[in-house]
Amino acid sequence: MKMLCIDGGGIRGVFALAILKALEEECDCQIGDLFDCIAGTSTGAVIAASISIKKDMKEVLKNYETYGKKIFVRQTKVGLFKSVYSDHYLRHFLQEAFGDLTLADIEKPLLIPAVDLTHGKPFVHRSNFGHPENDDLSVKLWDAVLSSCSAPVYFPPNQVKNKYLSIDGGLWANNPSLVCVTEAMEFFNRSLKEINILSLGTGQQNIDFTVDDNMDWGVKKWLPFQFPSMKVTPKLLDLALHLSSESVSYHCQHLLGENYLRLNEQLGKEMPFDETKYINELIQLGSKVFNDKKAEVLEFFNA
């Protein structure tokens, strides 16, 4: 069983998109045709949902470039009294991308991790492939994706059908690979040897927490200000997402061995998930990673 898993990471999702665009061009087919199941968290949920409705990766990448600079326009610098970003443009982007489609309309297995904030528990939105825990297929696809994208402090929680609040699935499954392993074993009755996962990261930041003589580790250390703009850098959240992804990757590599192919790359510096000036650099890096790993990727599909 071949499964595609796409990490969260905000605007850094263009790194994964560049890889998928190159793969789509190499194989001359739509990405969804290559996999039995697709999973994505946060920005990865946007990409995974796009794949599930057969959107071309070139088109999705272009939309990221167009909408990214609108989505990440701050309504406040700090986020003390309201979220740093409004979800207005993000909501509009998702509604335009997915229209009135509901989870019931998506028959291909699609997994979107989120957090049910109202009840304090992890949650997975599933498409219409018969899972017994998917008791509400009437949720709009854009609504499920928005739920997975709502990073605390930076975006407001998403209110799903006036029933509960939902926030970023990256808080527990920024790399959704273990979600896929569990789904494959429990629902599809596959053994570990039958599970093949292509996992796409969004770049590994060099998140700098420099050792110095200042031991007063308050908010300004975890969420530092940029001068002179006074913007707050999402360093703590980026660190949490990074640790979530890398720990899952470590466990999956041990569980699946050669059946787990992870494509990611050191960025060499901090590239916050809300910093759009790195878009072109990330796209170029994603294309390079695909070219460097092309033989391994193509072998993955022959396994």
Side-chain angles (χ1 to χ4, degrees):
M1 183 174 193
K2 288 185 167 51
M3 313 180 88
L4 173 64
C5 300
I6 310 166
D7 283 21
I11 201 62
R12 294 196 308 273
V14 297
F15 171 84
L17 269 170
I19 293 174
L20 291 170
K21 173 178 172 289
L23 176 60
E24 203 165 59
E25 292 170 350
E26 178 70 25
C27 296
D28 193 26
C29 68
Q30 293 185 315
I31 293 297
D33 296 337
L34 300 172
F35 296 93
D36 302 302
C37 179
I38 302 160
T41 303
S42 195
T43 194
V46 179
I47 301 168
S50 299
I51 293 170
S52 75
I53 61 170
K54 299 184 179 299
K55 281 185 175 286
D56 292 337
M57 294 298 95
K58 182 178 181 180
E59 176 189 350
V60 179
L61 182 55
K62 184 177 180 180
N63 286 338
Y64 262 65
E65 294 178 272
T66 301
Y67 275 93
K69 295 174 183 177
K70 296 179 180 180
I71 291 169
F72 290 109
V73 173
R74 294 185 175 228
Q75 62 177 353
T76 181
K77 293 179 179 178
V78 179
L80 187 60
F81 298 107
K82 61 181 178 180
S83 61
V84 173
Y85 300 108
S86 165
D87 65 358
H88 172 76
Y89 278 110
L90 177 58
R91 186 181 294 267
H92 178 72
F93 165 51
L94 297 177
Q95 289 176 335
E96 187 174 89
F98 304 123
D100 289 328
L101 290 171
T102 66
L103 294 175
D105 297 317
I106 312 300
E107 295 182 358
K108 190 175 193 70
L110 171 67
L111 308 174
I112 300 176
V115 173
D116 179 345
L117 181 62
T118 300
H119 302 99
K121 63 181 183 180
F123 184 82
V124 179
H125 288 287
R126 294 177 173 89
S127 60
N128 188 23
F129 62 93
H131 196 287
E133 291 183 15
N134 203 7
D135 55 358
D136 188 359
L137 290 166
S138 66
V139 173
K140 300 286 188 183
L141 181 59
W142 68 260
D143 217 359
V145 173
L146 181 59
S147 295
S148 189
C149 291
S150 300
V153 178
Y154 288 86
F155 289 102
N158 184 38
Q159 189 172 148
V160 182
K161 297 179 67 177
N162 294 318
K163 292 182 178 179
Y164 61 91
L165 297 175
S166 183
I167 57 175
D168 198 332
L171 294 178
W172 70 280
N174 199 56
N175 174 350
S177 295
L178 277 178
V179 175
C180 275
V181 170
T182 302
E183 200 81 1
M185 295 180 70
E186 291 195 354
F187 178 76
F188 292 103
N189 297 314
R190 301 301 178 92
S191 68
L192 288 175
K193 292 181 180 179
E194 296 175 295
I195 302 170
N196 295 271
I197 290 180
L198 175 61
S199 172
L200 302 183
T202 55
Q204 294 175 284
Q205 291 190 83
N206 179 20
I207 303 176
D208 182 21
F209 285 101
T210 303
V211 176
D212 58 30
D213 295 331
N214 184 356
M215 300 301 291
D216 299 326
W217 280 73
V219 172
K220 69 178 182 179
K221 281 284 189 181
W222 295 108
L223 298 170
F225 293 96
Q226 296 178 12
F227 295 99
S229 67
M230 293 300 291
K231 286 170 56 177
V232 173
T233 304
K235 185 174 285 192
L236 177 58
L237 185 54
D238 264 335
L239 176 65
L241 300 182
H242 167 79
L243 294 174
S244 172
S245 287
E246 293 310 305
S247 62
V248 167
S249 181
Y250 172 83
H251 290 298
C252 286
Q253 284 167 348
H254 280 268
L255 287 170
L256 301 179
E258 294 181 354
N259 289 354
Y260 186 74
L261 177 57
R262 172 81 166 164
L263 299 185
N264 209 4
E265 186 66 29
Q266 292 286 344
L267 300 176
K269 58 187 174 183
E270 291 186 3
M271 292 188 184
F273 70 79
D274 61 344
E275 191 54 83
T276 58
K277 68 181 181 182
Y278 295 115
I279 287 177
N280 289 335
E281 188 175 342
L282 287 161
I283 291 172
Q284 292 172 10
L285 185 60
S287 298
K288 180 180 182 300
V289 168
F290 177 79
N291 288 328
D292 291 345
K293 301 287 187 180
K294 183 190 296 186
E296 292 177 58
V297 174
L298 297 180
E299 179 62 29
F300 172 88
F301 294 106
N302 293 326

